[in-house]
């Protein structure tokens, strides 16, 4: 499959595919003219890569996990790595929740007119 076709089917840019390849996350072969050709499973791999990025994993972490993903097996090390990432995400989410609570408190304060606060008065 050509790069444009993979990009269209996967809903990503051609630039993203080149980046994934550069990062060692996606493989292609080259035609005699130098064009990239991807296997039939490229679209599903790009979808998985996108999901892992969306979950907050870095390119390096995804690259570490790729051998297990390709082999369809998990190891104690890969499970530990995933648990570490989950803990990191849990901490990040907790921080976001605290930030949201502070923002909600600020909104409540802003809704009560205060002559000493120029932002509330609309200056």
């Amino acid at each position: 499959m050509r790069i444009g076709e993979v990009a269209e089917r996967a809903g990503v840019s051609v630039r993203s595919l080149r980046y994934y390849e550069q990062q060692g996350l996606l493989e292609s072969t080259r035609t005699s003219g130098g064009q990239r050709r991807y296997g039939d499973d490229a679209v599903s791999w790009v979808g998985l890569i996108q999901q892992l990025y969306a979950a907050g994993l870095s390119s390096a972490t995804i690259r570490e996990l790729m051998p297990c993903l390709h082999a369809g097996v998990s190891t104690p090390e890969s499970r530990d790595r995933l648990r570490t990432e989950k803990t990191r995400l849990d901490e990040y989410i907790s921080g976001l929740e605290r930030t949201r609570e502070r923002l909600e408190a600020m909104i409540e304060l802003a809704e009560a007119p205060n002559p000493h606060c120029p932002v509330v008065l609309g200056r």
Side-chain angles (χ1 to χ4, degrees), residues 3 5 11 19-20 24 27-28 32 39 42 44 46 52 55 60-61 64-65 70 76 78 85 93 95 110-111:
I3 193 168
E5 186 178 355
Y19 176 77
Y20 297 161
E27 295 178 5
S28 70
S32 59
S44 62
V46 170
L52 295 172
T61 299
E64 285 177 37
L65 296 170
H70 280 292
S78 65
E85 289 300 317
I93 290 167
E111 289 175 343

Side-chain angles (χ1 to χ4, degrees), residues 65-87:
L65 296 170
M66 288 307 274
C68 294
L69 295 170
H70 280 292
V73 299
S74 80
T75 64
E77 294 82 11
S78 65
R79 289 189 296 274
D80 285 345
R81 184 69 170 137
L82 290 170
R83 285 187 192 100
T84 298
E85 289 300 317
K86 182 184 177 302
T87 299

Side-chain angles (χ1 to χ4, degrees), residues 9-53:
R9 286 186 183 186
V12 300
S13 67
V14 168
R15 183 177 179 193
S16 292
L17 295 178
R18 289 185 185 121
Y19 176 77
Y20 297 161
E21 196 169 336
Q22 177 188 15
Q23 295 298 307
L25 306 178
L26 189 63
E27 295 178 5
S28 70
T29 58
R30 298 286 180 135
T31 66
S32 59
Q35 293 183 333
R36 288 176 169 88
R37 300 292 292 178
Y38 295 92
D40 293 336
D41 61 346
V43 173
S44 62
W45 279 111
V46 170
L48 177 60
I49 292 166
Q50 289 283 299
Q51 288 176 331
L52 295 172
Y53 272 131

